[in-house]
Amino acid sequence: MEISAKGLSCEAQNVCKIYTTKQGSTMALSEDSLYVQAGEFVSIVGPSGCGKTTLLNIMCGLLPASDGTVLIDGKAIHGPYTDIGYVFQQDVLLGWRTVFENVILPIEIKKLRPVEEYHQRAKDLLEMVGLKGFEHKYPGELSGGMRQRVSICRALLCSPPLLFMDEPFGALDALTREQMNIDLLDIWSKNQNTVLFVTHSIDEAVILSDRVIIMSNRPGKIIKDIKIDLPRPRTLHMKGSDRFVEYVTEIRDIFNEYGVLRDEKNQGKV
Amino acid sequence: MNVMKVLRKKVRDNMYAWGLLVALIVFWEAAVKLMDLPKYFLPAPTAIAQKIAANIPLLAFNTWVTLYEVLLGFALGMLIGIPLAILIVYVPVLEKSVYSILVSANAIPKVALAPILVVWLGFGLAPKLVVAFLICFFPIVVNTVIGMKSITPEMIKLAKILGATSQQQFFKFRLPKALPSIFGGLKIGVTLAVVGAIVGEYVAAEKGLGYVQMIFAGNLDTAMVFSVLVILSVMSVVLFNVVAFIETLVVKGNTEEVSECDTAQ
Ligand SMILES: Nc1ncnc2c1ncn2[C@@H]1O[C@H](COP(=O)(O)OP(=O)(O)OP(=O)(O)O)[C@@H](O)[C@H]1O
Ligand SMILES: [Mg+2]
């Protein structure tokens, strides 16, 4: 088993997305460009419905862009790019498979060998996310947060060079979430893969990322790209540091400026 | 140990139902005896039991005849219904043409076709088999189509990003997702196949449980008519449970949505 090919770069050039339904068409993304370096950890934050999931789907080829190009490792892609781990916003576990069987689904589909090593890795990953002993349960018997952790293990199984995560920790309690943040950083530093991470939590984005991308309300537009200059390896203690607080405040202010967040002055009017 | 647990749970769950059933039979027996009803009007349960015991060879032979028709009709319903449903899901033109017609045709009372089938196919096995087939075919097709379409857009995305071939998409995603619904159709279908076979026998036959019922009803041997009814009921229940048992072997986990629906209703 090849542990970790190094990360690949991933780039969207002027992508647009217009969804057309019977009710009419929705402009979900307008002219967005984003370059993610090989091995970089980039977070995307933005209000609900601004097109974060859409952007992720376009950047891995799951969704065709209405306009623009996507390049992975410098080459344009025209269909789903399969050498990727994708943690979907909903956990998308298969109800007829046990937790363990769900985690090893990728190697079954891709026919990867040797099976035993991947099985061992699946067990290790499950243990890491605190699901040891649940291997033979069915997803229907798990809580939402547990299911989400299973889907994270599935995405990590093949140590993919690209890792897309769409609000992966949304269903977790604050403590488990912080632990998962640490574990994710650990895996990332070992694998040196490229991570594109969507979150609603500004704190989480800052503590994890090299860069935080801020998107505006629909139609989704990248309005700021902030480099996070905190030292690596990151620890949770940094959340108390002045630099961290400055970054978080800066991002809040940007949302404020674009009318996504409203502070006290405006609240009285509602 | 697990089997014992399941059995004990089954017995416990069904205790009240069995109790009620026994009570009803006792009441029936008592009512017939006390009111002194004529035997051709309503035979007592004990009289029915004696009748069955006295006619085992006759009943066994005709049970086999009917069962054969049912099983063949049902097998045909599965062998044609499931592949057709899969085609319907994969070929949009078929869905717009064949499936729309099928759904409307489902409104035809299939048993009313039996006399016509006799004209076309004669008095043998064929018309019974065809009625049994027709009547179980519809729920099998409809439920399989519903099941095959129940795959979510998210699951399709997962399949695609894992690089699943269309064959893998079918066997690892669509089909397992559809299985609970397919079995739902099969369970309805198998009991309907029994109805179909009997109606076929009512219309024209020289053997089979339906035929036996018609003959003895004509002789006012009501106990015998009831005997056949008991056998038919047992046949239906057993067939249903065989399919349900196979379902428990084949369908894994996945009960979460089903049971949620059950409790919601
Ligand atoms: N399949 C679709 N068909 C039509 N419109 C869609 C579809 N998917 C998304 N949209 C629209 O595109 C916009 C962006 O959706 P998207 O799911 O990318 O948002 P998001 O930023 O991921 O939101 P959230 O944070 O709530 O997950 C939304 O306004 C939504 O209405
Ligand atoms: Mg989303």
Side-chain angles (χ1 to χ4, degrees), chain A residues 57 60 62 80-82 84 88 90 92-97 105-106 108-111 138 140 147 154, chain B residues 152 154-165 168 172-174 176-177 251-257:
Chain A
N57 284 343
C60 66
L62 266 182
Y81 186 83
T82 58
I84 186 179
F88 294 92
Q90 295 95 339
V92 208
L93 297 181
L94 307 183
W96 55 90
R97 286 174 157 256
L105 181 69
E108 224 176 281
I109 301 275
K110 296 177 180 169
K111 304 209 163 65
Y138 285 94
R147 293 167 60 109
R154 179 178 63 197
Chain B
T152 60
E154 280 77 26
M155 279 185 189
I156 295 176
K157 273 189 198 152
L158 172 66
K160 281 189 179 157
I161 205 68
L162 291 175
T165 61
Q168 286 173 325
K172 296 207 183 282
F173 296 84
R174 246 179 222 283
K177 182 80 173 63
V251 178
K252 296 271 183 316
N254 205 28
T255 44
E256 81 263 38
E257 294 137 77

Side-chain angles (χ1 to χ4, degrees), chain A residues 52-53 89 166-167:
Chain A
K52 303 180 295 295
T53 302
Q89 194 166 357
D166 197 350
E167 294 180 37

